[in-house]
Amino acid sequence: MGPFWLAPEAFSEGVGNLLVGVKRISQARTSQILGWAMGMGLLLAFPLFVSSFWLRIATEVLMWAGLAQSWNIIGGYTGYLSFGHGAFFGIGAYATAILMVHAGWPFWPTLLVGAILSALCAAAVGFPTLRLRGAYFAIATWAFGEAIRQVATVLEVTGGAFGMQLPPFLNLPFFYEAMLIATVLTYLLAFLLLERSMFGYKLRAIRENEVAAEAAGVDTVATKIEAFILSAIPAAVFGGLYAYLITYIHPDSVLGPAITDLMVVMVLFGGVGTLWGPLVGATAIQLVNRLLWFLRGESTLYLVYAGVAICLVVLFMPDGLLGLVERRQLVLRPKENLRALLRQFKL
Amino acid sequence: MGLFLQTLIDGLLIGGLIIVIGVGFSLCFGVMHIIDFAVGEWVMLGAYTAFWMVRYFGRDPFVYLPVIFFLYMAIGYLIYPLIHRAVSGRRHNPALMGLVFTFGLASLIKGGALTAWGFHVRSVTTWLSGESLPLGFAVVPALRFAGFAFGVLATVAFMLFLKWSKIGVAIRAVAQDRIMAELLGVDTNRVSALVYAMYTGLTGMAGVLIGALFSIHAGMGLRYTTFAFFVVVLAGMGYVPGVIPAGFLLGLLQSLVTVYVSGRYTLLAVFLVLYGTLLARPRGLLGRGW
């Protein structure tokens, strides 16, 4: 099977994968479906109950949950680390800003353009590097992220380092609902394509043992490129929504290094390669983030927090919060971990 | 013509300094199979350490080169067990956890520096600053030449150490085949710790010269992380001798773009060449990569 843009039958296979997932959902018990529908209804009605302060926080939590899931597709399920995922977010944001300001487009179609643009970029970055080892991919994505920031800083059309101002649209419930829909769609896509279809099995086979996956007949390169493209698209959509939400963007706010950092730490904290890990991680980290912002104001200290969090999670709970719950180990076992660490230090 | 020659010489001189970073970084990858995303941050820390030492103890920054080497060796030696713990879990792909760890470390160091020292640009002066060697067709700033000389000396010393010392042989053995080296009685864990320590020491030391040549600020790490990646990919990942031509090539590229296009486009040019290399010759220009 080649990439879907080369082979129409592969594309129909992809659609078939989706349909299998949908069929499984339709076989679920009525009580389950009712439960999900009620939960969804509550989320949709959320703006009716809360103040705009909490609505704003909920909007951001939703956005980060979706962004974390988009990173999880390539970083968690496939096991290839993209350290430039913030670039796709920025591409989406700048696509929306440029098209709305300079071309006078309405909002919605700009999201599509951003998504297509970042999908093309993902294909261009993934094509040479996903046939090599993971280290090359990590380097290339990191370099891509920095390159996009440089481009945004030097170009005229992006307003350079000063950024650009979008037409203001101060309607928080609108953004909440839009983020909610985008996030739910991202999770639904992840559920259907990664948890309940052949494609997801292929990705996990690649993560567990790439040589074995290849031997079993998986076209690993094509599958990885597809996964990378799939992970870039939601990031761009969230970027576009975010740009319209904050109405003033510049290279630091939508292409800053902290965006990729946060995606990585959220997924790690929640649980790598799981469906609900990114949601758990994003909720926890974003709430702490806002709390810190509330206590300390905007500062560069968040880079330190993100760095410390990443290091600690890697060292002490590599399976994330969900991993702790699954193994019924709700305690971090600090003594045991510390002892292991001290053993290491003796070399 | 004079400008062109001057640009070439400047580029080659800077290349000599970048090689020091690349050699340690490449060996580190060859032995541990981990990319250290914090490489530029070690450069930044080295430069800052020199700055603060000059500020508090006076004297010339060059005096502190050995101090900084051993200081960062010690820091690297202490950090290595953490990396070892990150990669030795029972994860499906432990090397990726190491990558994430160094990524977090880079974020932590950079954020810490930005928070502690802010966005101010600082500089140190050495006894060579402002001096220059007239060569007739071009003028060579003495400090650049000193950086180049330091780079060549450090690289040669490092290569000789790898070639002739007993530990050097062990290091090369581990880089070649880890399991075989273990079977022959090499303590791979200790060798890795030593390699990481030497790499951080060399990089910190290079940071002093880079800080003396250019300005020192908390965000400077990004540039040198990019340079290190560029050099290692062009050389072929883990192939140490390839770092030398790659370093000179990077110096030339940087200096030519700065003079003939604009300083704002240097990093972009570097990324473009990096992408082209990954596309056309992923195993490095010499095709000897890992």
PDB file of all heavy atoms in Angstrom, chain A residues 25-57:
ATOM      1  N   ILE A  25     -18.816   1.609  16.991  1.00  0.00           N
ATOM      2  CA  ILE A  25     -19.498   2.536  17.893  1.00  0.00           C
ATOM      3  C   ILE A  25     -20.997   2.261  17.893  1.00  0.00           C
ATOM      4  O   ILE A  25     -21.656   2.211  18.928  1.00  0.00           O
ATOM      5  CB  ILE A  25     -19.235   3.999  17.479  1.00  0.00           C
ATOM      6  CG1 ILE A  25     -17.804   4.351  17.797  1.00  0.00           C
ATOM      7  CG2 ILE A  25     -20.173   4.947  18.215  1.00  0.00           C
ATOM      8  CD1 ILE A  25     -17.456   5.762  17.507  1.00  0.00           C
ATOM      9  N   SER A  26     -21.550   2.028  16.681  1.00  0.00           N
ATOM     10  CA  SER A  26     -22.993   1.822  16.597  1.00  0.00           C
ATOM     11  C   SER A  26     -23.406   0.524  17.285  1.00  0.00           C
ATOM     12  O   SER A  26     -24.568   0.343  17.632  1.00  0.00           O
ATOM     13  CB  SER A  26     -23.436   1.807  15.128  1.00  0.00           C
ATOM     14  OG  SER A  26     -22.929   0.649  14.501  1.00  0.00           O
ATOM     15  N   GLN A  27     -22.419  -0.375  17.503  1.00  0.00           N
ATOM     16  CA  GLN A  27     -22.762  -1.610  18.213  1.00  0.00           C
ATOM     17  C   GLN A  27     -22.691  -1.441  19.726  1.00  0.00           C
ATOM     18  O   GLN A  27     -22.977  -2.384  20.462  1.00  0.00           O
ATOM     19  CB  GLN A  27     -21.803  -2.732  17.786  1.00  0.00           C
ATOM     20  CG  GLN A  27     -22.111  -3.255  16.392  1.00  0.00           C
ATOM     21  CD  GLN A  27     -20.969  -4.069  15.844  1.00  0.00           C
ATOM     22  OE1 GLN A  27     -19.877  -4.058  16.373  1.00  0.00           O
ATOM     23  NE2 GLN A  27     -21.229  -4.782  14.760  1.00  0.00           N
ATOM     24  N   ALA A  28     -22.247  -0.253  20.177  1.00  0.00           N
ATOM     25  CA  ALA A  28     -22.118  -0.046  21.618  1.00  0.00           C
ATOM     26  C   ALA A  28     -23.501  -0.085  22.267  1.00  0.00           C
ATOM     27  O   ALA A  28     -24.519   0.081  21.607  1.00  0.00           O
ATOM     28  CB  ALA A  28     -21.462   1.296  21.900  1.00  0.00           C
ATOM     29  N   ARG A  29     -23.482  -0.300  23.581  1.00  0.00           N
ATOM     30  CA  ARG A  29     -24.754  -0.383  24.281  1.00  0.00           C
ATOM     31  C   ARG A  29     -25.463   0.977  24.309  1.00  0.00           C
ATOM     32  O   ARG A  29     -24.807   2.021  24.312  1.00  0.00           O
ATOM     33  CB  ARG A  29     -24.534  -0.883  25.712  1.00  0.00           C
ATOM     34  CG  ARG A  29     -24.760  -2.362  25.835  1.00  0.00           C
ATOM     35  CD  ARG A  29     -24.339  -2.862  27.189  1.00  0.00           C
ATOM     36  NE  ARG A  29     -22.889  -2.899  27.300  1.00  0.00           N
ATOM     37  CZ  ARG A  29     -22.220  -2.656  28.428  1.00  0.00           C
ATOM     38  NH1 ARG A  29     -22.868  -2.341  29.517  1.00  0.00           N
ATOM     39  NH2 ARG A  29     -20.909  -2.713  28.467  1.00  0.00           N
ATOM     40  N   THR A  30     -26.763   0.944  24.316  1.00  0.00           N
ATOM     41  CA  THR A  30     -27.536   2.189  24.286  1.00  0.00           C
ATOM     42  C   THR A  30     -27.201   3.077  25.465  1.00  0.00           C
ATOM     43  O   THR A  30     -27.105   4.292  25.329  1.00  0.00           O
ATOM     44  CB  THR A  30     -29.046   1.873  24.331  1.00  0.00           C
ATOM     45  OG1 THR A  30     -29.263   0.638  23.683  1.00  0.00           O
ATOM     46  CG2 THR A  30     -29.853   2.961  23.665  1.00  0.00           C
ATOM     47  N   SER A  31     -26.995   2.456  26.654  1.00  0.00           N
ATOM     48  CA  SER A  31     -26.712   3.246  27.845  1.00  0.00           C
ATOM     49  C   SER A  31     -25.400   4.005  27.668  1.00  0.00           C
ATOM     50  O   SER A  31     -25.274   5.167  28.061  1.00  0.00           O
ATOM     51  CB  SER A  31     -26.634   2.343  29.073  1.00  0.00           C
ATOM     52  OG  SER A  31     -25.636   1.369  28.870  1.00  0.00           O
ATOM     53  N   GLN A  32     -24.427   3.328  27.020  1.00  0.00           N
ATOM     54  CA  GLN A  32     -23.142   3.992  26.786  1.00  0.00           C
ATOM     55  C   GLN A  32     -23.325   5.200  25.878  1.00  0.00           C
ATOM     56  O   GLN A  32     -22.832   6.289  26.156  1.00  0.00           O
ATOM     57  CB  GLN A  32     -22.169   3.018  26.127  1.00  0.00           C
ATOM     58  CG  GLN A  32     -21.313   2.253  27.126  1.00  0.00           C
ATOM     59  CD  GLN A  32     -20.363   1.314  26.428  1.00  0.00           C
ATOM     60  OE1 GLN A  32     -20.704   0.741  25.389  1.00  0.00           O
ATOM     61  NE2 GLN A  32     -19.184   1.147  26.984  1.00  0.00           N
ATOM     62  N   ILE A  33     -24.056   4.974  24.781  1.00  0.00           N
ATOM     63  CA  ILE A  33     -24.258   6.069  23.829  1.00  0.00           C
ATOM     64  C   ILE A  33     -24.964   7.225  24.508  1.00  0.00           C
ATOM     65  O   ILE A  33     -24.592   8.393  24.356  1.00  0.00           O
ATOM     66  CB  ILE A  33     -25.068   5.572  22.612  1.00  0.00           C
ATOM     67  CG1 ILE A  33     -24.244   4.532  21.852  1.00  0.00           C
ATOM     68  CG2 ILE A  33     -25.444   6.728  21.693  1.00  0.00           C
ATOM     69  CD1 ILE A  33     -24.945   3.931  20.671  1.00  0.00           C
ATOM     70  N   LEU A  34     -25.963   6.882  25.327  1.00  0.00           N
ATOM     71  CA  LEU A  34     -26.698   7.926  26.055  1.00  0.00           C
ATOM     72  C   LEU A  34     -25.768   8.702  26.973  1.00  0.00           C
ATOM     73  O   LEU A  34     -25.805   9.929  27.032  1.00  0.00           O
ATOM     74  CB  LEU A  34     -27.819   7.292  26.879  1.00  0.00           C
ATOM     75  CG  LEU A  34     -29.190   7.260  26.204  1.00  0.00           C
ATOM     76  CD1 LEU A  34     -30.201   6.569  27.112  1.00  0.00           C
ATOM     77  CD2 LEU A  34     -29.639   8.675  25.868  1.00  0.00           C
ATOM     78  N   GLY A  35     -24.891   7.971  27.663  1.00  0.00           N
ATOM     79  CA  GLY A  35     -23.950   8.616  28.573  1.00  0.00           C
ATOM     80  C   GLY A  35     -23.068   9.602  27.838  1.00  0.00           C
ATOM     81  O   GLY A  35     -22.884  10.745  28.273  1.00  0.00           O
ATOM     82  N   TRP A  36     -22.512   9.147  26.721  1.00  0.00           N
ATOM     83  CA  TRP A  36     -21.631  10.039  25.954  1.00  0.00           C
ATOM     84  C   TRP A  36     -22.398  11.257  25.453  1.00  0.00           C
ATOM     85  O   TRP A  36     -21.878  12.383  25.493  1.00  0.00           O
ATOM     86  CB  TRP A  36     -21.019   9.301  24.765  1.00  0.00           C
ATOM     87  CG  TRP A  36     -19.891   8.413  25.168  1.00  0.00           C
ATOM     88  CD1 TRP A  36     -19.918   7.066  25.288  1.00  0.00           C
ATOM     89  CD2 TRP A  36     -18.567   8.830  25.540  1.00  0.00           C
ATOM     90  NE1 TRP A  36     -18.695   6.602  25.705  1.00  0.00           N
ATOM     91  CE2 TRP A  36     -17.852   7.663  25.863  1.00  0.00           C
ATOM     92  CE3 TRP A  36     -17.942  10.070  25.634  1.00  0.00           C
ATOM     93  CZ2 TRP A  36     -16.519   7.697  26.273  1.00  0.00           C
ATOM     94  CZ3 TRP A  36     -16.621  10.101  26.036  1.00  0.00           C
ATOM     95  CH2 TRP A  36     -15.927   8.930  26.349  1.00  0.00           C
ATOM     96  N   ALA A  37     -23.641  11.018  24.973  1.00  0.00           N
ATOM     97  CA  ALA A  37     -24.432  12.136  24.445  1.00  0.00           C
ATOM     98  C   ALA A  37     -24.717  13.145  25.547  1.00  0.00           C
ATOM     99  O   ALA A  37     -24.649  14.368  25.327  1.00  0.00           O
ATOM    100  CB  ALA A  37     -25.734  11.609  23.857  1.00  0.00           C
ATOM    101  N   MET A  38     -25.010  12.634  26.764  1.00  0.00           N
ATOM    102  CA  MET A  38     -25.285  13.551  27.861  1.00  0.00           C
ATOM    103  C   MET A  38     -24.050  14.355  28.231  1.00  0.00           C
ATOM    104  O   MET A  38     -24.106  15.570  28.447  1.00  0.00           O
ATOM    105  CB  MET A  38     -25.788  12.784  29.089  1.00  0.00           C
ATOM    106  CG  MET A  38     -27.306  12.627  29.120  1.00  0.00           C
ATOM    107  SD  MET A  38     -27.803  11.584  30.484  1.00  0.00           S
ATOM    108  CE  MET A  38     -27.329  12.602  31.873  1.00  0.00           C
ATOM    109  N   GLY A  39     -22.910  13.689  28.267  1.00  0.00           N
ATOM    110  CA  GLY A  39     -21.657  14.379  28.572  1.00  0.00           C
ATOM    111  C   GLY A  39     -21.376  15.469  27.562  1.00  0.00           C
ATOM    112  O   GLY A  39     -21.022  16.602  27.897  1.00  0.00           O
ATOM    113  N   MET A  40     -21.583  15.105  26.297  1.00  0.00           N
ATOM    114  CA  MET A  40     -21.350  16.065  25.217  1.00  0.00           C
ATOM    115  C   MET A  40     -22.298  17.260  25.357  1.00  0.00           C
ATOM    116  O   MET A  40     -21.893  18.415  25.192  1.00  0.00           O
ATOM    117  CB  MET A  40     -21.576  15.347  23.886  1.00  0.00           C
ATOM    118  CG  MET A  40     -21.116  16.081  22.663  1.00  0.00           C
ATOM    119  SD  MET A  40     -19.339  16.331  22.662  1.00  0.00           S
ATOM    120  CE  MET A  40     -19.265  17.819  21.698  1.00  0.00           C
ATOM    121  N   GLY A  41     -23.564  16.964  25.667  1.00  0.00           N
ATOM    122  CA  GLY A  41     -24.542  18.036  25.843  1.00  0.00           C
ATOM    123  C   GLY A  41     -24.145  18.974  26.970  1.00  0.00           C
ATOM    124  O   GLY A  41     -24.229  20.194  26.833  1.00  0.00           O
ATOM    125  N   LEU A  42     -23.660  18.391  28.076  1.00  0.00           N
ATOM    126  CA  LEU A  42     -23.215  19.208  29.201  1.00  0.00           C
ATOM    127  C   LEU A  42     -22.072  20.115  28.783  1.00  0.00           C
ATOM    128  O   LEU A  42     -22.046  21.305  29.102  1.00  0.00           O
ATOM    129  CB  LEU A  42     -22.764  18.310  30.355  1.00  0.00           C
ATOM    130  CG  LEU A  42     -23.845  17.853  31.318  1.00  0.00           C
ATOM    131  CD1 LEU A  42     -23.248  16.948  32.386  1.00  0.00           C
ATOM    132  CD2 LEU A  42     -24.512  19.062  31.964  1.00  0.00           C
ATOM    133  N   LEU A  43     -21.106  19.532  28.049  1.00  0.00           N
ATOM    134  CA  LEU A  43     -19.961  20.331  27.608  1.00  0.00           C
ATOM    135  C   LEU A  43     -20.408  21.461  26.692  1.00  0.00           C
ATOM    136  O   LEU A  43     -19.938  22.588  26.801  1.00  0.00           O
ATOM    137  CB  LEU A  43     -18.948  19.445  26.881  1.00  0.00           C
ATOM    138  CG  LEU A  43     -18.020  18.641  27.766  1.00  0.00           C
ATOM    139  CD1 LEU A  43     -17.177  17.693  26.938  1.00  0.00           C
ATOM    140  CD2 LEU A  43     -17.102  19.570  28.557  1.00  0.00           C
ATOM    141  N   LEU A  44     -21.356  21.133  25.788  1.00  0.00           N
ATOM    142  CA  LEU A  44     -21.834  22.161  24.855  1.00  0.00           C
ATOM    143  C   LEU A  44     -22.546  23.286  25.608  1.00  0.00           C
ATOM    144  O   LEU A  44     -22.482  24.449  25.223  1.00  0.00           O
ATOM    145  CB  LEU A  44     -22.792  21.539  23.840  1.00  0.00           C
ATOM    146  CG  LEU A  44     -22.140  20.837  22.647  1.00  0.00           C
ATOM    147  CD1 LEU A  44     -23.180  20.076  21.849  1.00  0.00           C
ATOM    148  CD2 LEU A  44     -21.425  21.841  21.753  1.00  0.00           C
ATOM    149  N   ALA A  45     -23.235  22.915  26.697  1.00  0.00           N
ATOM    150  CA  ALA A  45     -24.009  23.918  27.438  1.00  0.00           C
ATOM    151  C   ALA A  45     -23.173  24.635  28.481  1.00  0.00           C
ATOM    152  O   ALA A  45     -23.667  25.513  29.177  1.00  0.00           O
ATOM    153  CB  ALA A  45     -25.200  23.234  28.118  1.00  0.00           C
ATOM    154  N   PHE A  46     -21.890  24.270  28.589  1.00  0.00           N
ATOM    155  CA  PHE A  46     -21.006  24.825  29.613  1.00  0.00           C
ATOM    156  C   PHE A  46     -21.031  26.357  29.686  1.00  0.00           C
ATOM    157  O   PHE A  46     -21.100  26.919  30.785  1.00  0.00           O
ATOM    158  CB  PHE A  46     -19.587  24.310  29.349  1.00  0.00           C
ATOM    159  CG  PHE A  46     -18.632  24.528  30.476  1.00  0.00           C
ATOM    160  CD1 PHE A  46     -18.828  23.895  31.693  1.00  0.00           C
ATOM    161  CD2 PHE A  46     -17.522  25.341  30.330  1.00  0.00           C
ATOM    162  CE1 PHE A  46     -17.948  24.081  32.733  1.00  0.00           C
ATOM    163  CE2 PHE A  46     -16.636  25.533  31.357  1.00  0.00           C
ATOM    164  CZ  PHE A  46     -16.847  24.896  32.567  1.00  0.00           C
ATOM    165  N   PRO A  47     -21.000  27.073  28.540  1.00  0.00           N
ATOM    166  CA  PRO A  47     -20.972  28.541  28.604  1.00  0.00           C
ATOM    167  C   PRO A  47     -22.177  29.136  29.316  1.00  0.00           C
ATOM    168  O   PRO A  47     -22.121  30.272  29.809  1.00  0.00           O
ATOM    169  CB  PRO A  47     -20.948  28.979  27.143  1.00  0.00           C
ATOM    170  CG  PRO A  47     -20.446  27.808  26.405  1.00  0.00           C
ATOM    171  CD  PRO A  47     -20.882  26.598  27.164  1.00  0.00           C
ATOM    172  N   LEU A  48     -23.292  28.385  29.390  1.00  0.00           N
ATOM    173  CA  LEU A  48     -24.486  28.927  30.030  1.00  0.00           C
ATOM    174  C   LEU A  48     -24.316  29.039  31.541  1.00  0.00           C
ATOM    175  O   LEU A  48     -24.966  29.847  32.193  1.00  0.00           O
ATOM    176  CB  LEU A  48     -25.694  28.032  29.735  1.00  0.00           C
ATOM    177  CG  LEU A  48     -26.078  27.897  28.268  1.00  0.00           C
ATOM    178  CD1 LEU A  48     -27.215  26.908  28.102  1.00  0.00           C
ATOM    179  CD2 LEU A  48     -26.448  29.252  27.707  1.00  0.00           C
ATOM    180  N   PHE A  49     -23.420  28.195  32.111  1.00  0.00           N
ATOM    181  CA  PHE A  49     -23.345  28.117  33.566  1.00  0.00           C
ATOM    182  C   PHE A  49     -22.231  28.943  34.184  1.00  0.00           C
ATOM    183  O   PHE A  49     -22.298  29.281  35.355  1.00  0.00           O
ATOM    184  CB  PHE A  49     -23.133  26.656  34.022  1.00  0.00           C
ATOM    185  CG  PHE A  49     -24.081  25.691  33.402  1.00  0.00           C
ATOM    186  CD1 PHE A  49     -23.634  24.522  32.814  1.00  0.00           C
ATOM    187  CD2 PHE A  49     -25.448  25.962  33.409  1.00  0.00           C
ATOM    188  CE1 PHE A  49     -24.518  23.634  32.239  1.00  0.00           C
ATOM    189  CE2 PHE A  49     -26.329  25.074  32.837  1.00  0.00           C
ATOM    190  CZ  PHE A  49     -25.864  23.914  32.256  1.00  0.00           C
ATOM    191  N   VAL A  50     -21.173  29.214  33.439  1.00  0.00           N
ATOM    192  CA  VAL A  50     -19.980  29.736  34.113  1.00  0.00           C
ATOM    193  C   VAL A  50     -19.635  31.151  33.671  1.00  0.00           C
ATOM    194  O   VAL A  50     -20.115  31.638  32.652  1.00  0.00           O
ATOM    195  CB  VAL A  50     -18.760  28.822  33.862  1.00  0.00           C
ATOM    196  CG1 VAL A  50     -18.979  27.471  34.481  1.00  0.00           C
ATOM    197  CG2 VAL A  50     -18.472  28.724  32.388  1.00  0.00           C
ATOM    198  N   SER A  51     -18.779  31.780  34.467  1.00  0.00           N
ATOM    199  CA  SER A  51     -18.322  33.130  34.152  1.00  0.00           C
ATOM    200  C   SER A  51     -17.307  33.061  33.016  1.00  0.00           C
ATOM    201  O   SER A  51     -16.800  32.001  32.683  1.00  0.00           O
ATOM    202  CB  SER A  51     -17.672  33.753  35.372  1.00  0.00           C
ATOM    203  OG  SER A  51     -16.487  33.038  35.673  1.00  0.00           O
ATOM    204  N   SER A  52     -17.025  34.232  32.436  1.00  0.00           N
ATOM    205  CA  SER A  52     -16.134  34.236  31.280  1.00  0.00           C
ATOM    206  C   SER A  52     -14.706  33.865  31.670  1.00  0.00           C
ATOM    207  O   SER A  52     -13.939  33.362  30.868  1.00  0.00           O
ATOM    208  CB  SER A  52     -16.152  35.598  30.593  1.00  0.00           C
ATOM    209  OG  SER A  52     -15.736  36.576  31.499  1.00  0.00           O
ATOM    210  N   PHE A  53     -14.365  34.087  32.942  1.00  0.00           N
ATOM    211  CA  PHE A  53     -13.032  33.696  33.417  1.00  0.00           C
ATOM    212  C   PHE A  53     -12.821  32.194  33.254  1.00  0.00           C
ATOM    213  O   PHE A  53     -11.857  31.733  32.655  1.00  0.00           O
ATOM    214  CB  PHE A  53     -12.892  34.104  34.891  1.00  0.00           C
ATOM    215  CG  PHE A  53     -11.634  33.621  35.546  1.00  0.00           C
ATOM    216  CD1 PHE A  53     -10.428  34.236  35.283  1.00  0.00           C
ATOM    217  CD2 PHE A  53     -11.664  32.553  36.432  1.00  0.00           C
ATOM    218  CE1 PHE A  53      -9.265  33.787  35.889  1.00  0.00           C
ATOM    219  CE2 PHE A  53     -10.504  32.109  37.037  1.00  0.00           C
ATOM    220  CZ  PHE A  53      -9.305  32.722  36.768  1.00  0.00           C
ATOM    221  N   TRP A  54     -13.799  31.426  33.797  1.00  0.00           N
ATOM    222  CA  TRP A  54     -13.688  29.973  33.716  1.00  0.00           C
ATOM    223  C   TRP A  54     -13.869  29.487  32.297  1.00  0.00           C
ATOM    224  O   TRP A  54     -13.286  28.470  31.895  1.00  0.00           O
ATOM    225  CB  TRP A  54     -14.685  29.305  34.664  1.00  0.00           C
ATOM    226  CG  TRP A  54     -14.248  29.462  36.071  1.00  0.00           C
ATOM    227  CD1 TRP A  54     -14.771  30.295  37.004  1.00  0.00           C
ATOM    228  CD2 TRP A  54     -13.148  28.798  36.701  1.00  0.00           C
ATOM    229  NE1 TRP A  54     -14.075  30.197  38.185  1.00  0.00           N
ATOM    230  CE2 TRP A  54     -13.070  29.278  38.022  1.00  0.00           C
ATOM    231  CE3 TRP A  54     -12.217  27.843  36.278  1.00  0.00           C
ATOM    232  CZ2 TRP A  54     -12.108  28.841  38.923  1.00  0.00           C
ATOM    233  CZ3 TRP A  54     -11.259  27.405  37.173  1.00  0.00           C
ATOM    234  CH2 TRP A  54     -11.214  27.913  38.486  1.00  0.00           C
ATOM    235  N   LEU A  55     -14.677  30.212  31.529  1.00  0.00           N
ATOM    236  CA  LEU A  55     -14.892  29.807  30.144  1.00  0.00           C
ATOM    237  C   LEU A  55     -13.594  29.914  29.355  1.00  0.00           C
ATOM    238  O   LEU A  55     -13.236  29.042  28.557  1.00  0.00           O
ATOM    239  CB  LEU A  55     -15.966  30.694  29.509  1.00  0.00           C
ATOM    240  CG  LEU A  55     -16.533  30.149  28.217  1.00  0.00           C
ATOM    241  CD1 LEU A  55     -17.133  28.782  28.428  1.00  0.00           C
ATOM    242  CD2 LEU A  55     -17.566  31.099  27.651  1.00  0.00           C
ATOM    243  N   ARG A  56     -12.857  30.982  29.626  1.00  0.00           N
ATOM    244  CA  ARG A  56     -11.580  31.185  28.952  1.00  0.00           C
ATOM    245  C   ARG A  56     -10.610  30.046  29.305  1.00  0.00           C
ATOM    246  O   ARG A  56      -9.925  29.485  28.444  1.00  0.00           O
ATOM    247  CB  ARG A  56     -11.005  32.535  29.391  1.00  0.00           C
ATOM    248  CG  ARG A  56      -9.598  32.804  28.969  1.00  0.00           C
ATOM    249  CD  ARG A  56      -9.556  33.312  27.555  1.00  0.00           C
ATOM    250  NE  ARG A  56      -8.194  33.307  27.046  1.00  0.00           N
ATOM    251  CZ  ARG A  56      -7.691  34.263  26.304  1.00  0.00           C
ATOM    252  NH1 ARG A  56      -8.420  35.286  25.974  1.00  0.00           N
ATOM    253  NH2 ARG A  56      -6.459  34.181  25.872  1.00  0.00           N
ATOM    254  N   ILE A  57     -10.596  29.703  30.596  1.00  0.00           N
ATOM    255  CA  ILE A  57      -9.698  28.622  31.022  1.00  0.00           C
ATOM    256  C   ILE A  57     -10.115  27.307  30.383  1.00  0.00           C
ATOM    257  O   ILE A  57      -9.284  26.549  29.881  1.00  0.00           O
ATOM    258  CB  ILE A  57      -9.681  28.530  32.562  1.00  0.00           C
ATOM    259  CG1 ILE A  57      -8.896  29.732  33.096  1.00  0.00           C
ATOM    260  CG2 ILE A  57      -9.059  27.228  33.031  1.00  0.00           C
ATOM    261  CD1 ILE A  57      -8.731  29.758  34.574  1.00  0.00           C
TER     262      ILE A  57
END
